[in-house]
Amino acid sequence: MDNDAVFYRELPKVELHAHLNGSVSAQTIEKLISRKPHLNIEHSMTAIGKGQRRTLDECFEVFRVIHKLVDTEEDILMVATDVIKEFAADGVKYLELRSTPREERDTGLTKRSYIETVIKAIQKCKEEGVDIDVRFLVAIDRRNGTEVALETVNLAEEFMLSSDGLVVGIDLSGDPTVGHGKDLLPALQKAKNSGLKLSLHLSEIPSQLDESDLLLSLPPDRIGHGTFLHPEVGGSQSLVDKVVQKKIPIELCLTSNVKGNTVPCYAKHHFKYWYELGHPTVLCTDDKGVFCTDLSQEYQLAASTFGLSHEAVWKLSQQAIDSIFGPETVKQQLKEKWNDLHPQLF
Ligand code: 6MZ
């Protein structure tokens, strides 16, 4: 590893936008494939390699393949444990994992046991002393509509109270071409009222202006992607004004957006727009397994594409702490950790 790569690996980092089943590494996929050889799934079907690009549609096909491989409590425990340890090995000190609870009749998996198993993986890593603080956002898949969204929020509310602070919020994700945010508004409002934080995928594709405007009225506590919010790409100044006035941090995933073809190239990524505005932006991986990346690489890419110094990169990773959904005490602990680590890097 060259010196620059070492800097990015050792840089303490905060990861706030990571979908569990999109984060499964090649090594873990191999273990899953050997558990289920009858499915005839090859690794090439679960990841998008260097230089390759897919449509968002094709990306969602990849998730369907991974879901076939991950359909028991045992699988989820292994996947979540591996993913947490991989983030820790990449220098991530605080991680918010998100995942959509699934029910699988054939294996007896229920949405409740799904959430319990992710929590078990987080606790297991903690007991083993893995150097990372992990929290969980329960995800709503937008294609499943109003009732499932409400059911998910009810479960998340229950776990928020019983998980010792591990369940902290709700994610709204899924294929952005399917469904409409207005159907999910009551569930999201209920979640917010109960104290769950909201991270919503907004304007991941063009022509979602009405939906974004509606969901911004909640308002969410963070925005995922926000690729088409600003006027230069068909968004609107009024959407930008709302995001800026409410200081809603944006989670930005460079490789995901380039490989998923919603952004034409790294240099045209909307990181530039929001960073230059001085708006809180947080670099994230989205789906590190599917897009073959890690958070160190995302920081390095942002720096080389937009000419950021090591000091500027440090500031970016440090400021991400302000956008976490964990409590104030955790923010303080993380800030102290960053202060302790600073002299080792500079
Ligand atoms: C929207 C995405 C996504 O929940 O099974 N997901 N939703 N946009 C994206 N951009 C590429 N990447 C992942 O992880 C996989 C699920 O996360 C959401 C989709 O709902 C996908 O099925 P979990 O752990």
Side-chain angles (χ1 to χ4, degrees):
M1 212 189 287
D2 63 33
N3 281 347
D4 208 37
V6 171
F7 170 82
Y8 288 97
R9 175 63 51 87
E10 290 185 356
L11 177 76
K13 293 171 288 288
V14 164
E15 167 66 80
L16 301 182
H17 190 130
H19 298 274
L20 178 61
N21 285 295
S23 301
V24 189
S25 65
Q27 292 87 327
T28 308
I29 290 284
E30 289 306 332
K31 291 193 266 181
L32 291 164
I33 288 175
S34 68
R35 281 183 182 182
K36 299 181 172 80
H38 59 282
L39 291 176
N40 286 326
I41 291 172
E42 290 168 21
H43 186 228
S44 60
M45 297 154 78
T46 65
I48 303 168
K50 203 171 168 32
Q52 294 182 334
R53 297 181 74 157
R54 302 280 161 87
T55 62
L56 258 194
D57 237 22
E58 289 165 334
C59 295
F60 283 96
E61 185 48 42
V62 174
F63 298 126
R64 278 190 282 275
V65 174
I66 298 173
H67 284 161
K68 284 192 203 155
L69 282 171
V70 184
D71 67 349
T72 66
E73 283 175 29
E74 209 187 345
D75 297 334
I76 293 162
L77 186 66
M78 176 176 78
V79 161
T81 309
D82 285 2
V83 164
I84 291 169
K85 290 183 179 173
E86 287 154 5
F87 274 114
D90 187 37
V92 173
K93 303 296 179 198
Y94 177 92
L95 163 68
E96 282 176 18
L97 263 184
R98 51 185 78 190
S99 194
T100 327
R102 255 180 304 133
E103 164 180 279
E104 298 284 350
R105 289 216 182 90
D106 293 347
T107 68
L109 183 72
T110 64
K111 293 184 181 182
R112 179 180 297 276
S113 66
Y114 189 107
I115 300 176
E116 280 166 355
T117 309
V118 176
I119 291 174
K120 204 162 143 193
I122 298 174
Q123 286 165 336
K124 186 167 166 249
C125 290
K126 208 174 189 175
E127 279 158 25
E128 288 178 21
V130 184
D131 181 22
I132 188 168
D133 187 326
V134 186
R135 308 285 157 153
F136 185 41
L137 309 185
V138 182
I140 294 174
D141 185 336
R142 48 183 294 139
R143 84 188 145 134
N144 294 333
T146 313
E147 267 180 40
V148 174
L150 268 173
E151 186 196 345
T152 308
V153 166
N154 288 338
L155 267 176
E157 285 175 1
E158 226 182 90
F159 280 100
M160 175 179 63
L161 300 174
S162 66
S163 66
D164 236 349
L166 296 183
V167 171
V168 288
I170 289 284
D171 154 62
L172 171 64
S173 56
D175 186 342
T177 62
V178 183
H180 195 288
K182 69 175 183 317
D183 301 326
L184 310 168
L185 204 61
L188 296 170
Q189 188 67 63
K190 181 171 187 294
K192 197 175 167 73
N193 293 347
S194 73
L196 286 159
K197 301 279 188 182
L198 299 181
S199 170
L200 311 182
H201 283 57
L202 277 198
S203 288
E204 191 177 0
I205 53 170
S207 66
Q208 283 187 310
L209 299 193
D210 287 354
E211 179 184 285
S212 294
D213 195 46
L214 185 73
L215 294 177
L216 279 173
S217 67
L218 279 158
D221 299 282
R222 289 198 312 255
I223 291 170
H225 301 298
T227 315
F228 295 94
L229 284 172
H230 55 299
E232 283 84 338
V233 287
S236 78
Q237 192 56 44
S238 109
L239 287 176
V240 171
D241 290 345
K242 283 185 186 166
V243 174
V244 170
Q245 274 158 19
K246 292 174 182 160
K247 292 202 178 70
I248 310 172
I250 310 190
E251 306 150 356
L252 297 170
C253 314
L254 275 70
T255 299
S256 162
N257 297 155
V258 170
K259 285 195 172 177
N261 247 329
T262 51
V263 165
C265 59
Y266 286 104
K268 295 221 166 105
H269 195 276
H270 49 295
F271 170 84
K272 185 174 159 66
Y273 178 88
W274 293 99
Y275 185 74
E276 285 177 357
L277 270 186
H279 189 77
T281 52
V282 184
L283 290 175
C284 302
T285 53
D286 207 5
D287 301 287
K288 72 173 181 61
V290 171
F291 297 116
C292 303
T293 188
D294 59 32
L295 194 54
S296 301
Q297 195 175 315
E298 295 301 302
Y299 270 87
Q300 194 165 10
L301 267 168
S304 61
T305 308
F306 302 107
L308 309 183
S309 65
H310 279 186
E311 275 295 349
V313 167
W314 174 272
K315 220 169 145 191
L316 199 57
S317 91
Q318 192 179 36
Q319 283 172 347
I321 298 171
D322 292 321
S323 303
I324 70 167
F325 288 167
E328 210 47 49
T329 47
V330 173
K331 281 187 191 170
Q332 284 316 319
Q333 284 161 11
L334 291 172
K335 284 181 182 169
E336 280 165 27
K337 194 170 250 184
W338 260 243
N339 286 340
D340 291 345
L341 290 169
H342 190 265
Q344 292 174 25
L345 271 119
F346 291 91

